[in-house]
Amino acid sequence: MDLLLEPMFRVPFLTGLMLAALVPVVGVLARLRDEWLAALGFAHLAGAGGALGSALALPVLPAALGLAMLGVAARALWRRQGNDLYALMILAGWATMMLVAAVSRHASTLGQMLVDGQLYFVRGPHLVAAAILLVVSVPLMPLLMRLLLRLTLLPHQDQANGVPVQGYLLLFNVLLAISVALSAVTLGVMTAFALLYLPAWVAFGLARSWRATWLLAAGLGVVAYLIAFVLALLVDLPFGPVMVATLCVLGCARFTPGLAVR
Amino acid sequence: MTEHLLLQVTDLQAGYQRPLVGPLSFTLPAGQVLVLQGANGAGKSTVMRALTGEARCFAGRIERPASVRLACQPQHSPLPAELPMTVREYLRLAQAQPHRLGGLPDRLASLQGHRLDHLSGGQWQLLRVFATLCQPAPLILLDEPTNNLDPDGEALLVALLKGLGPDRGVLLVCHEADFVGHVAHQLVEVG
């Protein structure tokens, strides 16, 4: 238990905690837009960016965020809702990551870390990036939620009244890409996907209102994170798979009789 | 454009890759319900979509005073298969002001705590038409508002349209002659 109180784990703990609270709420909006595959798409692009950065002796975090931003630009040009573009991102990102890892030992090591989700090696820049993301996202989230809900339930109306809808959609995609890319390099690629997808999936099935939905998603993300952080450290397992397994177990709540709304 | 006009359409030709409808002209003053009529495929919904910017305007003019906001109910607006939002939250999202139309109808009031994805097709249709009508927007576009409504729902809709204030106007697409006969001030043939 003393391990948990080690100062060296404070930065990883706080970084992961912020992402565990924020990313599931972003996932709720991605699910509302039926674009939940975005998590894997942007995560793979971030992984490819990180691998390229590592091979070229560039800082990994900016390289990962940079390639994820290229994905946002592609999304803006694509102009169609749905998951097709994200499938392309997954495949192109995976191929790039594997090829770069095959020719560079640094990239190969980084690729393994992205698969394992080695949260405990996270350092100051990741913490600062997560804190900035959280500070920017919290005031933006109510605005984006309202706009995306109105786009879904009152289609075309805001656009007809001069609301810059495309600008807000771009803003949401930037927030989505940065959240996922930062989660991928901090928590691992699959953990980022699980954190974006599973809490939102459970909350959509169990919550009785929209407010309860995003609160439940954020709560599930944080609870899963706390369990996984302690468990992985105490049993000495890679954080990523422990976190994903924990989320999967918590996800079973969706099928619990009496809890599910239908 | 005179001050009491909410909408003036002049020689409009609208469509998507190419013009599908027009030229068409009409004006909608405040206090009136204007019904676009025509056979299936004549382009009535395309005219509505041109007004909201979804369809392209190839020729002619659409004039709406900058201060006139619109509220619209598209013909097709299926609910997502799963959406954890209550009727109460939906009305708030739509900025609906039920008091403008004499309060929330009983058949909707009893559903306020229900999730939208638990509503029937008729309940959802009535809710979204009601929410459209009681938004604070002078110009209202309704595309086939009677779809899925039972006779009581249609009667309620007639009463709501007749109860709209003199500062508001409705552009309506509907095939049901009885309903149109009860609410229309103007008929415009499309196609």
Side-chain angles (χ1 to χ4, degrees), chain A residues 31-32 146 149-150 152-157 160-161 203-211 213 254 261-262, chain B residues 52 54 64 69-72 74 77 79-86 89-90 93-95 115 117-118 124 135:
Chain A
R31 189 170 184 84
L32 175 71
R146 184 172 180 279
L149 281 165
R150 284 178 65 88
T152 304
L153 294 167
L154 304 158
H156 318 303
Q157 189 168 298
N161 285 319
F204 265 60
L206 298 186
R208 295 184 185 276
S209 69
W210 181 255
R211 182 181 162 79
T213 303
R254 197 179 148 125
V261 173
R262 61 157 139 201
Chain B
T52 58
E54 292 168 85
R64 168 164 61 108
R69 289 174 57 82
L70 67 78
C72 65
S77 184
L79 269 173
E82 196 170 61
L83 187 62
M85 167 175 264
T86 62
E89 287 175 321
Y90 174 75
L93 181 77
Q95 297 174 302
R115 274 174 56 144
D117 52 359
H118 291 189
W124 168 235
Q135 287 181 45

Side-chain angles (χ1 to χ4, degrees), chain A residues 42 45 67-77 89 170 173-174 177:
Chain A
F42 287 128
L45 282 188
L67 209 60
M69 284 301 108
L70 273 184
V72 173
R75 179 67 188 81
L77 294 172
M89 286 185 193
L170 181 65
N173 280 321
V174 168

Side-chain angles (χ1 to χ4, degrees), chain A residues 208-232:
Chain A
R208 295 184 185 276
S209 69
W210 181 255
R211 182 181 162 79
T213 303
W214 61 265
L215 284 172
L216 179 59
L220 281 170
V222 169
V223 168
Y225 173 75
L226 293 175
I227 294 171
F229 189 91
V230 173
L231 207 58

Side-chain angles (χ1 to χ4, degrees), chain B residues 130-167:
Chain B
F130 179 79
T132 306
L133 286 173
C134 60
Q135 287 181 45
L139 176 59
I140 298 161
L141 312 183
L142 301 176
D143 195 349
E144 301 287 3
T146 55
N147 279 357
N148 289 327
L149 291 189
D150 58 23
D152 286 347
E154 277 192 35
L156 176 60
L157 185 50
V158 170
L160 291 172
L161 285 169
K162 285 183 177 294
L164 285 180
D167 55 335

